[in-house]
Amino acid sequence: MVKALSDTYLTFKTIFTGMGITFRHLFTKSVTVQYPVQRDVLPERVRLKLHVNIDDCIGCRLCERACPVECIDIGTIKSTDDVDLGETSTGHKKKLWVDKFDIDMAKCCYCELCVHPCPTDCITMVEEYEYSVYDRNDLIFPFSDMTPEQIEEANRKLEEEAEAKSRKKEEAMLAKKKKAEAQAAGGEADGDKPKDAASGGSTEAGGSAETGGEEAGGEGAGTEKSGTGKSDAEASGDGDADAEKAARRAEREARRAARRAEREAKKKSE
Amino acid sequence: MQQFLESFLPAGPVVVFVFSIIPLMIILIYALFAIWLERKVAGHIQDRLGPMQTGGWHGWAQTLADLLKMIQKEDIVPAKADRFLFKMAPFIAFAASYAAFVAIPFSSGYIGSMIDIGVFYIVAITSLLSVSIIMAGWASNNKWSLLGAMRTAAQTVSYEVPTVVTILSVIIVTGTLNLMEVTEMQTGNAFLGFLPSWLIFHSPFMVIAFVLFFIASLAEAHRVPFDLPESESELVGGYQTEYSGMRWGLFMLTEYADMLLLSLVGATLFFGGWNSPFGSFMDGPVWGAFWMLFKGMVLVFVMMWLRWTLPRLRVDQLMNLCWKYLIPLSFVNLVLIALWEMIF
Amino acid sequence: MTNVKENRPGPEVTLSPPVDAGNGLKTQEMVISMGPQHPSTHGVLRMELTLNGEIVTRAIPHIGYLHRCFEKHSEAMNDYAKVIPYVDRMDYVAAMNNELGYAIAMERLMDIRVNDRVEYIRVIMSELQRIASHLLAVGTFGLDIGAFTPFLYCFIEREKILDIFEKASGARLLYNYIWIGGLMNDVPADFKTDTAAFVKSFRPKIKELNDLLSHNKIFIDRTANVGVLPEKVAINYGVSGPSLRGSGVEWDLRKDDPYSIYDRFEFDVIVGQGEMGTVGDCWDRYIVRVWEMEESLKIIEQALDQMPDEGDVQEAVPKKIRPPAGEIYCRTETPRGELGYYIISDKSTTPFRVKARAPSFVNLSVLPAISIGAMVADMVAIIGSIDIVLGEVDR
Ligand code: SF4
Ligand code: SF4
């Protein structure tokens, strides 16, 4: 009986406390943001959409390799000696045409792993979040600004150059062969050497003329390798990189801020 | 009212029709408003805003838009369901609560039917609701629905007892079952010269009776904390699980109509029905209707407020509360009120 | 054609034979599928319940609806850092804690030491995340019991934490913020004031939550003495985290096997005391979470005081992550319990194996043991009180 009474008392007491709280909330200010009309002020680092400033991209593919879901697809064409692609705003020399730079935002997991390794800070997260589409393929954002004609042109030039180079190399090889033959003819005494040269002549030549061989290996493999070479070089140069790192990051932050300010100014002017 | 209608309408069935359609209009308009209000109350209690877009001012047309959407929806009947019962259930549910409004005196000039057993009739006809819910739960051929229906059967049967007993204790005082007469008894200022002579001020036990009645009516209307038949976090949707479109909408309408019905009964029995709280000031048939609905809405609001505050009871606790607390208490209260009547 | 029934996975449910109820009617148990589209199974858990009326006589959880091959994915990554986004997605409501565990495991494997600023930021972040996660657990638990409003109050507070995270990392749910050897970014300049303001504003909210929900009589009736998990059973099943502490076992890895810098802070380990019913009931598990938020606030306050202002958060981030061949098991205390990573390295940049011991998965296994004899409504309470995240159960 006593328990029943105290239970009843407790029930009413707690119910009225609860009602008091909800009643107070009835008149407190709502936290709702009336979205399309009002918008939250987003913090600086929001990750909403990737943007690539293609003018600054050197086609190093570091971003592509950093992505855990493989949603960045980059194609590059090596530029020929007669064209100068200029420099990026960060002072990096551009050596590759970037004929394809597709980011599939439908696959992207917004982890921002691609943003950090970029040497020229041209891949960034921007404050744009209303880009839903009806077709999933529309979420593949192409960033390359090359026209098909330009791509063809670049490919053709590269082929021509490669042909020229390989011709040169063949000539060089021939010359070498001749030299070897001459040597062989000159000294009959070392028995196995001439045979070796005759059978594996081409591979040895390829190995000795390192850069030439790589270029002859076709554009895909060539660019891939040059990319790796670059990253490895950066990785091995740990000592000075460490010293410069803080400065570099500060610089990067500043650049990002500047870019954001620019964008905002643009938005405002619109 | 009937005479008033007859003065400009041809007599006969038309007048009867117009006369009987009035509660339906009230229910529909009220439902539109109450669902909107519920959303707003829920929203603001939870520090949100609730609907804001549809119709301009604070989303007033949201329910209307939802209604249009619901009407357009496909009428889905599960393949293995008992088609006839499944389709009938929502209509019976709504019919039951609509029929009950006939005995409610909306104002001194309007009552659907001046039946002498008004309260008794209301209590009886609302029981139909549980029949329809069991129909819906059984016909859906869904185990969750069935569980919901089972709970409802148990709940309604138990809660009818305290409701009737508390009503009975009011009837002891009034001596009539006719709600119009009950209301008329409460006209004027009786107690201490300034308190309206509402039954709730009649004796302290009346307050207890009201609290008991209110709790029982929450259970009757299946509102939190007694919304077990449809408790969505346990039984998915209870008996409504398989319903969609307008059939579901009818259940929704019934729920709100039931809330209003019980609130109006509560207002009539305890708060003077259509009587103005200021004596003869702001009195009259039109003001009467206003006061009646206003009092009903206040109770409805409290129901909403409770809903957004409290968790839900478990089914055995619900029974516990009913049989171990409400029923004994209401009987004791009944005796006390009777004694009070005898002494004073 | 193959018979679908024969290929059905999982144990076959055999019903008890029909019983004569004595009036010519026969009654039999009923099998009901709770989930995966049930509103209260916290995602896509499916419970196969055998019911006698509303009483559960058998409960079999079926999992795997959210399986995303976390471990296989990790083995396919050619960089240990790329695993972090996947780690985030295991327990998606406590991503920071997941990252922290992984980062610490890798740092131990590679013998990296991070500086104090990183440690403090990590601790603050993971405690904030613990609060956020407990808020969600407590809120949805209330929702399961039928109280809608406390859930949204909890969410309002959780949003504030997510705002702090967003300012620091740019993301609100899956941060990829704690890196191996450091952090993605340093925290913004106003981080300290933001966090301190949150801590200050949050204390009264715990009280409000207690008034509105924890001490509500109906809520107590619904949760006390329900789903009692005795101490022995909990230990036998390997339950960890608040669910274990709710059973009265004082076991918190932050105290008992300190990682990071948790040994520098003063806080209490909250255990269930059976205040409202039996030790180890749903209410105890619930209240442990509520008071743990308070303890987390204490840790955050201390950490904010002690945090050094200087320090490069990327100082120790390795350029190339190539751990020495070997293996490591490292466990940390996430909001759900003991999260262990077992990592094997074969000296390449690709992980040979990353296995996660997910607390939710282990905690879920105790469900059949404690739900016998409960009612359907209690089932909902029990699932809610164990606080599983299906992303982590299935991985
Ligand atoms: S944000 Fe992450 S997932 Fe998206 S493109 Fe960059 S690396 Fe890939
Ligand atoms: S890392 Fe930067 S520069 Fe390199 S390919 Fe990607 S976007 Fe271009």
Side-chain angles (χ1 to χ4, degrees), chain C residues 220 223-226 228-229 245-249 270-288 291:
Chain C
I220 292 170
T223 53
N225 294 322
V226 167
V228 179
L229 173 59
R245 292 193 282 276
S247 300
V249 185
I270 307 288
V271 290
Q273 282 156 356
E275 232 175 290
M276 296 297 167
T278 326
V279 177
D281 57 15
C282 288
W283 195 83
D284 271 357
R285 285 194 284 276
Y286 162 86
I287 208 72
V288 163
W291 291 123

Side-chain angles (χ1 to χ4, degrees), chain C residues 35-55:
Chain C
Q37 301 107 325
H38 189 280
S40 294
T41 51
H42 292 233
V44 281
L45 174 68
R46 178 175 153 234
M47 297 287 301
E48 197 173 317
L49 303 179
T50 312
L51 297 184
N52 177 7
E54 281 217 29
I55 311 284

Side-chain angles (χ1 to χ4, degrees), chain A residues 7 10-11 14-15 17-18 21-22 24-25 31 42-43 45-47 65-69 109-113 116 231-232 234-235 238 241 245-246 248-249 253 256, chain C residues 77-78 81-82 85-86 89 149 153 156 166-171 174-177 179 184-188 205 208 211-212 215-218 312 314-315 317 319-320:
Chain A
D7 272 2
L10 256 181
T11 312
T14 51
I15 286 177
T17 329
I21 290 170
T22 41
R24 234 179 302 132
H25 275 274
V31 291
L42 294 176
R45 290 174 184 162
V46 283
R47 307 183 208 158
R65 230 164 304 132
C67 179
V69 295
C109 68
Y110 302 87
C111 62
E112 216 180 62
L113 280 176
H116 292 266
S231 72
D232 280 345
E234 236 183 49
D238 243 33
K245 214 160 61 177
R248 255 193 71 200
R249 203 165 324 116
E253 292 281 305
R256 265 189 212 162
Chain C
M77 293 295 120
N78 56 8
K82 284 196 202 176
Y86 288 96
R89 280 156 180 78
T149 307
Y153 291 168
I156 292 171
E166 194 183 17
K167 265 191 182 169
S169 71
L174 307 163
Y175 315 99
N176 184 21
Y177 182 66
W179 280 6
M184 174 194 253
N185 290 314
D186 203 345
V187 287
K205 299 287 175 180
E208 188 183 272
D211 282 348
L212 183 57
H215 294 134
N216 184 299
K217 190 78 178 66
I218 297 177
D312 182 2
Q314 291 206 320
E315 198 175 63
V317 175
K319 270 279 168 196
K320 196 127 205 145

Side-chain angles (χ1 to χ4, degrees), chain C residues 72-148:
Chain C
K72 203 68 199 163
H73 263 309
S74 311
E75 290 162 27
M77 293 295 120
N78 56 8
D79 188 345
Y80 279 89
K82 284 196 202 176
V83 177
I84 297 179
Y86 288 96
V87 162
D88 277 345
R89 280 156 180 78
M90 285 200 317
D91 180 354
Y92 40 75
V93 295
M96 283 285 182
N97 298 77
N98 293 4
E99 289 166 10
L100 182 65
Y102 180 73
I104 288 177
M106 285 308 293
E107 281 157 16
R108 284 194 191 160
L109 186 60
M110 295 172 71
D111 209 10
I112 297 174
R113 298 205 66 83
V114 296
N115 61 28
D116 262 9
R117 185 168 167 83
V118 174
E119 294 278 29
Y120 277 103
I121 295 174
R122 281 180 177 185
V123 165
I124 294 172
M125 287 298 183
S126 67
E127 289 311 310
L128 280 176
Q129 181 76 82
R130 190 181 311 275
I131 296 176
S133 168
H134 280 348
L135 275 174
L136 188 98
V138 163
T140 47
F141 185 51
L143 189 62
D144 291 342
I145 305 297
F148 202 100

Side-chain angles (χ1 to χ4, degrees), chain B residues 42 44-48 143-144 146-147 150-151 224-225 232-236 307-317, chain C residues 30-34 38-40 54 143-149 152-153 156 216 218-219 221-222 226 375-378 380:
Chain B
H44 284 278
I45 278 184
Q46 296 164 354
D47 291 352
R48 297 183 287 122
K143 288 169 181 168
W144 295 116
L146 190 62
L147 277 178
M150 268 161 44
R151 286 181 174 189
V224 168
E232 92 261 345
S233 65
E234 294 155 24
L235 299 185
V236 191
R307 170 167 180 186
W308 299 109
T309 306
L310 296 181
R312 175 185 308 121
L313 283 170
R314 198 172 55 206
V315 66
D316 58 327
Q317 291 161 352
Chain C
M30 167 166 85
V31 177
I32 194 163
S33 206
M34 190 169 177
H38 189 280
S40 294
E54 281 217 29
L143 189 62
D144 291 342
I145 305 297
F148 202 100
T149 307
L152 281 154
Y153 291 168
I156 292 171
N216 184 299
I218 297 177
F219 181 76
D221 278 353
R222 278 297 307 277
V226 167
M375 304 185 85
V376 178
D378 293 339
V380 168

Side-chain angles (χ1 to χ4, degrees), chain B residues 66-79:
Chain B
D66 284 345
L67 187 74
L68 284 179
K69 182 201 76 175
M70 259 187 296
I71 289 173
Q72 291 169 28
K73 274 193 154 184
E74 186 188 348
D75 179 23
I76 300 171
V77 182

Side-chain angles (χ1 to χ4, degrees), chain A residues 51-54 56-65 72 74 76 88 98 101 114-124:
Chain A
H51 177 78
V52 178
N53 183 1
I54 199 71
D56 271 3
C57 178
I58 56 172
C60 66
R61 289 170 184 249
L62 283 180
C63 52
E64 189 183 26
R65 230 164 304 132
I72 305 181
I74 299 176
T76 49
T88 65
V98 182
F101 201 124
C114 52
V115 174
H116 292 266
C118 179
T120 65
D121 289 326
C122 60
I123 179 163
T124 45

Side-chain angles (χ1 to χ4, degrees), chain B residues 210-272:
Chain B
F210 171 70
V211 171
L212 293 177
F213 174 82
F214 187 72
I215 294 173
S217 71
L218 278 176
E220 287 266 316
H222 310 308
R223 295 289 296 181
V224 168
F226 309 106
D227 63 336
L228 290 126
E230 50 189 277
S231 53
E232 92 261 345
S233 65
E234 294 155 24
L235 299 185
V236 191
Y239 65 92
Q240 301 173 346
T241 309
E242 296 289 349
Y243 282 90
S244 60
M246 206 49 221
R247 277 179 218 285
W248 179 83
L250 270 179
F251 274 125
M252 196 74 181
L253 188 63
T254 311
E255 189 192 317
Y256 280 89
D258 243 31
M259 272 166 76
L260 180 67
L261 176 74
L262 289 159
S263 300
L264 288 182
V265 172
T268 315
L269 289 181
F270 297 98
F271 294 101

